[in-house]
Structure formats: C-alpha cells, structure tokens
Amino acid sequence: MDDQLIKGNKSIEAMSRQLTLVLVSLLCVALAADAAVVERIFHVPIILLFLIVKNLTISRLCERRVITAVNGSLPGPTLKVSEGDTVVIHVINDSPYNITIHWHGIFQKRSAWADGPNMITQCPIVPGNKYVYKFNVTEQEGTLWWHAHASSLRATVYGALVIRPRNASYPFPKPYREVPILLGEWWNANVVDVETQAFLSGGSLSNVSDAFTINGRPGHLYKCSKNHAYELEVVAGETYLLRIINSAVNNQLFFKIASHSFTVVAVDASYTKPYDTDVVVIAPGQTVDALMTADAPPSSYYMAARAYASAGLDGPPFDNTTTTAIVRYANSSNRPLRPSMPSMPAFDDTRTAHRFYTNLTGLLRPETPAVPLHVDERMFVAFGLGVSPCEPSQVMCNRSRGAITASMNNVSFQFPASISLLEAHYNGLDDGAVYTSDFPDNPPVMFDFTDAKLNTDPTLTALLYTEKGTRVKKVKYGATVEVVLQNTAMIGAENHPLHLHGFNFFVLAQGFGNYNNATAARDSYNLVDPQVRNTIAVPLRGWAVIRFVANNPGVWIMHCHLEQHLPLGLAMAFEVEDGTTPESVLPPPPSDFPTC
Ligand SMILES: *[C@@H]1O[C@H](CO)[C@@H](O)[C@H](O)[C@H]1NC(C)=O
Ligand SMILES: *[C@@H]1O[C@H](CO)[C@@H](O)[C@H](O)[C@H]1NC(C)=O
Ligand SMILES: *[C@@H]1O[C@H](CO)[C@@H](O)[C@H](O)[C@H]1NC(C)=O
Ligand SMILES: *[C@@H]1O[C@H](CO)[C@@H](O)[C@H](O)[C@H]1NC(C)=O
Ligand SMILES: *[C@@H]1O[C@H](CO)[C@@H](O)[C@H](O)[C@H]1NC(C)=O
Ligand SMILES: *[C@@H]1O[C@H](CO)[C@@H](O)[C@H](O)[C@H]1NC(C)=O
Ligand SMILES: *[C@@H]1O[C@H](CO)[C@@H](O)[C@H](O)[C@H]1NC(C)=O
Ligand SMILES: *[C@@H]1O[C@H](CO)[C@@H](O)[C@H](O)[C@H]1NC(C)=O
Ligand SMILES: *[C@@H]1O[C@H](CO)[C@@H](O)[C@H](O)[C@H]1NC(C)=O
Ligand SMILES: *[C@@H]1O[C@H](CO)[C@@H](O)[C@H](O)[C@H]1NC(C)=O
Ligand SMILES: *[C@@H]1O[C@H](CO)[C@@H](O)[C@H](O)[C@H]1NC(C)=O
Ligand SMILES: [Cu+2]
C-alpha cells in the first residue's frame, strides 16, 4: 500500500517537500516500523528513527539501580546517518522526568526548534508525551552525539550520532572498522537527586561520581565489575577508526591504549591535519576521531580513561577512578591474565592537556570554509564561578557565604520558566518579560581575571558577586562574531569546556594569563588552518579566541559542558535575527512543538 502511495506521489513531483515529509512519517507510523526505516523519495533520503526514553533497571558496582535510558540500553543506540540526509526522530518520553534531547554539534540550519536545550529552544517533553525532532544534516560529517538537555539526565540518556560522508570517502585511508567509544560517568545515586542536593546546598554539597565508563561499562578496576568491561577485538595489522566521545558529566578525560598510539583525524566532526599522539585529551561535549593500528605484539591491552582535573589536587573533589576496556587481538594465543595497562598522565597534567588541545589544526579541503577576516561583532567575555545571595528555597545554603553561582560577563544565566527563549524570540517578546537583548559585549569592569587573590583579598572579593539575568546577545543574520573567552580564577580556577549550539567556530588562539588585545595575542591568531570545533576547553587561568559566522536564525545557547556549572548560570545565548532571503528566515514551530 505504501509502495502505491509513494509511486503516486512521484507523478506530482512539484509537491512541497514539507508535505512529503509529513506523509512519509505518517506512513511509517502507520506501519509501526520497529527499526530504522530509510525511505528514498525524490532521491532525498529520509531517516526515520524512534527513541523511547524509559526506566531501565541495571546492575553496576554491586548495586541494582533504576536509571532513565533510551531503548533499554546504556549508552543508547548509535544513530548512523549520511551527510545530506533529512532526519526525523520520534522521541517518546515514557520516563518519570521531563526530558529534551539535544543533537550535539548538528547545525540545525533553519530548524532551531529541533535543537533541544530545555527552555532555550523548547519546553520539555513531559512524561507520557512525544516530540518529533526533524532536521537536515548538511555540510557536516564525522562523530557527534545526542544527549538529554534537561536536568542531569544526560548522565544516562546519551548515544553516538555518526554522520558518514555522502559518497563514503574519507580524507584518510579507509579504516578496517569504525568503533564508537563513549566515555561516560556513573553515579550509584539518582543523578537528579544529586543535582537537587547541590542546588539546595548552594553548591557546597556536590557529590562526585562513582565510576567512569567505556561504552557504558566501568571495567575491571571497580568492584563487581570483573566481567564488566567493553571488549574490542582487533585483527593484527588492521586500522580502526575510534570515534571517541566524552559523554561524561563533569570531567575532562585522558584516554590511552597500552602499547598503541593514535592519529587524530577529526575533532567535533571537523577534519584535522593528521596528528600523532599516544594520549587523547577530551572535554565533555567534545569528540575525537582517532585512527589506531593494531600493530603491537598480538595479546590483550587495556584502554583506559581517567580525569584531567584541571583545578588540581587541592581543588574541589573529583572522581579519581579509572575506567578500562580491553583491546584483544583475534586468535592470539597470548591471553594474559591481566592485560597491560597504559601509564596515565597525572590528574593535574595541564601541560599534556594543553599540548593536545592547542596542537590540532584544521584540514584544508576545497569545501572547507575559510576563516572570515572581517569581523562584525567583537566580544570579550570573562566567565567563571562566583557567588550570589542564597535563594529562600536553597534551604541548606550557607547564608553568610552565599550560594556558588557562575556567570559570563557577570551575568548569571537564568533559564526562563514558562516559555522557551526561541518561542519568545519568534513571538517578538524581547521586551524584558522573558529576556532582554542586552548581553554585555564586555565585562562591567576590567580587573586581573586570573589573580588568585580574588578569593582572599577583602578589597577584591566584592568582584565575586554576580548578577542574575536572562540576557542574550542579538546579532544580525550573517554577521561574523569574534569572542575572546577569558577564564577567571574566581572561587577556583579550572578549565571550562564551552559549547556553542548551532555553529562550529574557528579556534584562532589560546593561551594562559589575561588576554591582552594589544600585544602578542592577536599576532598569534591562526587565520589559515585553525581547528574547528563546537566545544572549546578554555585553559584554566587562560583564554581562547573563537570566531564564527552567525548564518543560522534562532536562539543558540553557549554554555559550560561541565553539567554542574549549567544550573549555576555558566551560559549565555546568541539571538540571531532573520535575514532577508527565504533561506535565512526561521520557519514557524512544528505543529507538535511542546509548550509549557
Ligand atoms: C528504539 O526502540 C524502538 C522500540 O523497540 C524501536 O522501534 C526503534 O527502532 C529503536 N530505535 C533505534 C534507533 O534503535
Ligand atoms: C520508574 O522509576 C521510578 C523511580 O525509580 C518509579 O517511581 C516509577 O514508578 C518507574 N516507572 C515505571 C513506568 O516503571
Ligand atoms: C531539508 O532539506 C529538504 C530537501 O533538500 C528541503 O526541502 C527542506 O527545506 C530542508 N529543511 C530545512 C529546515 O531547511
Ligand atoms: C566525494 O569523493 C571525492 C573523492 O572520491 C572527493 O574528491 C569529493 O570531495 C567528495 N565529495 C563530497 C561532497 O564529499
Ligand atoms: C552525597 O554523599 C553523601 C555522603 O556520602 C550522602 O550522605 C548523600 O546521601 C549523597 N547524596 C545523594 C543525593 O546521593
Ligand atoms: C582466526 O581463526 C579462525 C579459525 O582458525 C579463522 O577462520 C579466522 O580467519 C582467524 N581470524 C584472524 C583475524 O586471523
Ligand atoms: C582517590 O581519592 C581517595 C580519597 O580522596 C584516595 O584515598 C585515593 O588514594 C585516590 N586515588 C588515586 C588513584 O589517586
Ligand atoms: C605541540 O605544542 C607544544 C607546546 O605546547 C610544542 O612544544 C610542540 O612542539 C607542539 N607539536 C607537537 C607535534 O607536539
Ligand atoms: C559558611 O561560610 C562562612 C564564610 O565563608 C564560613 O566561615 C563558614 O565556615 C561556613 N559555614 C559552614 C557550616 O560551612
Ligand atoms: C557584578 O555585579 C555585582 C552586582 O552588581 C557587583 O557587586 C560585582 O562587583 C560585579 N562583578 C564584576 C566582576 O563585575
Ligand atoms: C515539567 O515541565 C512542565 C511543563 O513545562 C512544568 O510545568 C513542570 O514544572 C516541569 N516539572 C519539573 C519537575 O521540572
Ligand atoms: Cu551540548
């Protein structure tokens, strides 16, 4: 029956794509497809997927727990699409929590309604409801991922999103196999309870995780996990493309494989010049595509990940455990009881982290966009932690100290409560009732941002106080925006991974100390082959300069991807106005758009 309908449609090719889309998704719903269905109509591939968010009872570290997960697995299913595809994903919320899903790194060109951050581009999908995320995957390929973007649920609601080149050709030798490596973080406690406790205590009680995981499994170094490690079987001499994703919640990670090295060929779904290294450093939100050749003596080896704790051993507590998985050579008669273990960098090895983060450069290809040289909007954004008076509802908060907050240019971002920013923007509600378009281009005062005395010198501690607000930066469609991201040492200095939704950006320069416009910093900009990312780990007591073209109408949040810093207010948003052509206008919300 569907065959006939599809053939029938072919005779009226003028029919709008929108209608076709609706028709196809209706058809597939009617057919109750139980697997990914690829429909090819008018030569435009449409990928139809169903994701069901629900309770999953699971055993980890000697405990049985009920978690929120997708399709009964941790991590959730890997979504595979090709560049150019139209993707239609039905997210069904059968969990007890409000949920949204973010397709991390997808441009969402003219589909801001499908981006996913809670109260930024949509109200949540309430329990028992569903929402259909529809977007085109255009002009990007590589490794991305999807995750919940409401409360801390992304701890267990996440999976890989792999975009293959449309013509299946990579700018490196074709690997023998491609393997998603999702690095995760596990709490024995309910993650929503942990977040609530952190809020009520004003940030003084923030429990660390109990384990890290590789593809959902903690590995041999944890209790009750002797048989609970991910295993990758390799064929000697073959090359594997590891699609490494840091889906951990609050920690940057070092990743190594004993006796093996990597060639990094992409980060954040942007190709890099091949970069050889024996250690991968990866912040939450980032991805690294690394080629690994099975060229060691056939045996078994551990791959391992543990924290890069940039704040150091004297900083806030962090999960100092190590997750492992096994690389086992096929048919090897050498099966050691204990595979050999890579030697990991020290937790506070900022030198190694910085070397990895700064040495990457973008791969220049004919289709690679060049760095725009003319800048329309220049911003200097100082960001980090701070303090605010405790809210009345923060019943466990230390009222003499105040609550720990976070801010960008001294604005501690407040999520709207009753309408999403995008909907407010679409309806022209920028009069202050929901938000104001006056996010400052500069900090209200300039000071020594990286001075440790900020936290102790009574003449400086007044600077720690932040203002709360929902303020966005309005930019014209097509404007080139340059942002100097200045990390502060307020409360504690640490490397914060900042993630921009809706765009990739060029990373022009990074350094330690205070960014100084007048001197070396600007001369050090890489305007030729900078790395291109969606998440930048800004050095502790340091800075980074990013540049992007605001070629996508909508409201796009930029926030710290250490999950515990988001509710503290380490966020801001860009409001990109409509352009003047039909392709530069934000379409209306879809008919099933969740409202509050
Ligand atoms: C998720 O589970 C549903 C129900 O079992 C199934 O129909 C769907 O194909 C699954 N999705 C993916 C991406 O595997
Ligand atoms: C899911 O788990 C929560 C608590 O863990 C429980 O309250 C709820 O009843 C469960 N829901 C279903 C549908 O099993
Ligand atoms: C997605 O791609 C299709 C086919 O090229 C196009 O008709 C449609 O307008 C695109 N959607 C958006 C939101 O750009
Ligand atoms: C397709 O593959 C060829 C090499 O076979 C490459 O030159 C070309 O850029 C690719 N096209 C796209 C759109 O990636
Ligand atoms: C956090 O840790 C403390 C100390 O171990 C424990 O008492 C508390 O219940 C934990 N909080 C949550 C939400 O699990
Ligand atoms: C492993 O051994 C089996 C049986 O001898 C053989 O069929 C297979 O090809 C071997 N695999 C590799 C990777 O050598
Ligand atoms: C992790 O921290 C605990 C307590 O804070 C300490 O006893 C232990 O030695 C640390 N482990 C490592 C590997 O540093
Ligand atoms: C990487 O960066 C460091 C400085 O952090 C530099 O000394 C080194 O030469 C660079 N190149 C490589 C290949 O590591
Ligand atoms: C509350 O904060 C004050 C000032 O920072 C500090 O002296 C005091 O020890 C804190 N009290 C508790 C119970 O942590
Ligand atoms: C931020 O604003 C607060 C409240 O107006 C003020 O006390 C504080 O000094 C400001 N801090 C900075 C760094 O501008
Ligand atoms: C869930 O979302 C609904 C609709 O926006 C809202 O009214 C409700 O307060 C939310 N619940 C929680 C626990 O956040
Ligand atoms: Cu994100």
Side-chain angles (χ1 to χ4, degrees):
M1 179 208 106
D2 58 320
D3 240 352
Q4 261 177 7
L5 246 170
I6 291 165
K7 277 189 198 123
N9 285 346
K10 273 192 175 152
S11 59
I12 40 166
E13 289 207 7
M15 188 186 221
S16 87
R17 279 270 305 132
Q18 197 68 29
L19 195 58
T20 312
L21 247 176
V22 171
L23 208 83
V24 170
S25 47
L26 281 178
L27 261 176
C28 298
V29 174
L31 294 170
D34 63 349
V37 177
V38 182
E39 292 281 352
R40 280 168 198 274
I41 300 175
F42 309 155
H43 311 293
V44 180
I46 298 183
I47 312 291
L48 178 65
L49 299 160
F50 291 79
L51 297 181
I52 303 174
V53 190
K54 55 176 194 259
N55 280 355
L56 171 67
T57 306
I58 194 169
S59 294
R60 290 286 183 278
L61 314 180
C62 317
E63 310 208 17
R64 260 175 101 68
R65 293 286 165 186
V66 178
I67 62 168
T68 305
V70 169
N71 275 26
S73 70
L74 179 72
T78 294
L79 310 184
K80 287 182 190 153
V81 304
S82 296
E83 194 277 330
D85 285 351
T86 290
V87 183
V88 178
I89 308 176
H90 294 244
V91 173
I92 297 142
N93 184 7
D94 282 341
S95 88
Y97 298 107
N98 283 350
I99 203 111
T100 69
I101 305 285
H102 170 50
W103 318 95
H104 185 114
I106 294 281
F107 294 149
Q108 300 291 4
K109 200 60 101 41
R110 294 184 70 233
S111 56
W113 308 104
D115 191 38
N118 192 27
M119 300 315 292
I120 303 297
T121 61
Q122 67 168 97
C123 292
I125 311 169
V126 299
N129 268 36
K130 69 176 234 173
Y131 178 42
V132 182
Y133 290 88
K134 286 183 201 155
F135 52 88
N136 290 345
V137 177
T138 348
E139 290 172 16
Q140 54 185 158
E141 57 195 50
T143 306
L144 293 173
W145 60 302
W146 53 270
H147 61 80
H149 215 302
S151 61
S152 315
L153 290 165
R154 76 172 181 83
T156 53
V157 176
Y158 66 93
L161 172 50
V162 173
I163 308 169
R164 294 234 175 79
R166 200 204 299 244
N167 65 8
S169 76
Y170 296 118
F172 45 82
K174 191 172 162 38
Y176 178 72
R177 255 188 77 198
E178 302 178 12
V179 187
I181 300 286
L182 289 113
L183 308 176
E185 194 170 350
W186 173 264
W187 273 261
N188 286 330
N190 176 313
V191 288
V192 175
D193 293 347
V194 173
E195 183 185 355
T196 304
Q197 174 195 269
F199 170 77
L200 294 176
S201 69
S204 53
L205 295 175
S206 183
N207 288 15
V208 302
S209 50
D210 297 285
F212 293 107
T213 57
I214 295 177
N215 291 344
R217 294 160 184 236
H220 295 171
L221 304 186
Y222 297 93
K223 61 184 175 180
C224 304
S225 305
K226 288 280 168 286
N227 297 311
H228 217 184
Y230 169 72
E231 251 186 64
L232 171 62
E233 192 184 68
V234 297
V235 174
E238 298 293 354
T239 297
Y240 294 77
L241 175 62
L242 306 183
R243 297 180 177 276
I244 308 164
I245 299 166
N246 187 343
S247 33
V249 178
N250 291 324
N251 288 278
Q252 307 202 23
L253 295 165
F254 292 117
F255 175 82
K256 288 182 80 168
I257 302 181
S259 304
H260 292 77
S261 62
F262 310 107
T263 301
V264 174
V265 290
V267 295
D268 295 9
S270 296
Y271 293 116
T272 61
K273 293 213 172 74
Y275 177 69
D276 295 332
T277 177
D278 67 348
V279 58
V280 164
V281 191
I282 186 166
Q286 295 184 329
T287 73
V288 172
D289 285 1
L291 296 173
M292 183 214 68
T293 300
D295 55 6
S299 180
S300 294
Y301 300 90
Y302 274 131
M303 62 170 83
R306 72 173 198 176
Y308 161 44
S310 62
L313 302 176
D314 305 328
F318 64 95
D319 182 341
N320 67 6
T321 64
T322 303
T323 179
T324 56
I326 297 167
V327 176
R328 189 186 298 287
Y329 279 63
N331 290 359
S332 163
S333 51
N334 184 6
R335 288 179 167 243
L337 217 53
R338 265 242 181 266
S340 55
M341 182 73 187
S343 74
M344 301 303 286
F347 292 117
D348 58 355
D349 189 348
T350 287
R351 185 191 291 263
T352 293
H354 194 68
R355 186 173 63 231
F356 182 88
Y357 284 147
T358 58
N359 272 334
L360 299 167
T361 49
L363 181 69
L364 297 179
R365 300 198 300 163
E367 58 270 46
T368 312
V371 183
L373 299 179
H374 172 81
V375 176
D376 300 297
E377 297 276 356
R378 281 185 202 281
M379 301 173 71
F380 182 103
V381 177
F383 68 93
L385 301 183
V387 284
S388 290
C390 301
E391 304 276 353
S393 56
Q394 292 180 297
V395 293
M396 301 186 299
C397 189
N398 180 338
R399 280 170 208 281
S400 67
R401 184 203 62 185
I404 304 277
T405 52
S407 69
M408 303 185 90
N409 277 349
N410 209 24
V411 186
S412 185
F413 185 81
Q414 304 298 294
F415 285 81
S418 55
I419 183 172
S420 68
L421 280 186
L422 185 62
E423 215 180 343
H425 156 80
Y426 183 75
N427 294 324
L429 305 175
D430 60 354
D431 55 2
V434 183
Y435 70 97
T436 51
S437 303
D438 61 351
F439 181 84
D441 286 343
N442 291 286
V445 290
M446 296 300 265
F447 56 99
D448 181 353
F449 301 104
T450 58
D451 187 353
K453 289 200 296 294
L454 283 166
N455 305 306
T456 51
D457 183 337
T459 64
L460 296 175
T461 47
L463 291 168
L464 300 178
Y465 284 87
T466 60
E467 284 176 5
K468 296 190 176 178
T470 309
R471 298 166 68 178
V472 307
K473 167 69 182 173
K474 190 184 254 186
V475 298
K476 290 226 169 345
Y477 176 84
T480 296
V481 183
E482 181 181 295
V483 191
V484 175
L485 297 163
Q486 174 69 56
N487 204 337
T488 76
M490 300 204 277
I491 307 294
E494 106 180 79
N495 180 315
H496 297 273
L498 297 184
H499 171 47
L500 175 63
H501 287 223
F503 308 95
N504 281 349
F505 47 75
F506 298 99
V507 181
L508 302 187
Q510 303 176 62
F512 291 105
N514 290 315
Y515 173 87
N516 186 341
N517 191 6
T519 55
R522 208 169 263 207
D523 299 335
S524 73
Y525 285 13
N526 179 349
L527 299 170
V528 178
D529 61 355
Q531 54 178 295
V532 175
R533 284 200 175 268
N534 63 50
T535 306
I536 171 81
V538 184
L540 82 156
R541 289 188 206 89
W543 50 268
V545 183
I546 63 169
R547 196 179 281 186
F548 68 97
V549 180
N551 57 4
N552 193 2
V555 179
W556 307 103
I557 189 173
M558 179 166 76
H559 65 94
C560 181
H561 221 282
L562 301 179
E563 194 63 29
Q564 59 187 358
H565 293 166
L566 183 53
L568 301 183
L570 223 178
M572 57 81 69
F574 290 97
E575 176 182 32
V576 180
E577 295 178 285
D578 282 348
T580 50
T581 58
E583 308 77 56
S584 59
V585 170
L586 176 68
S591 56
D592 64 339
F593 186 65
T595 49
C596 291

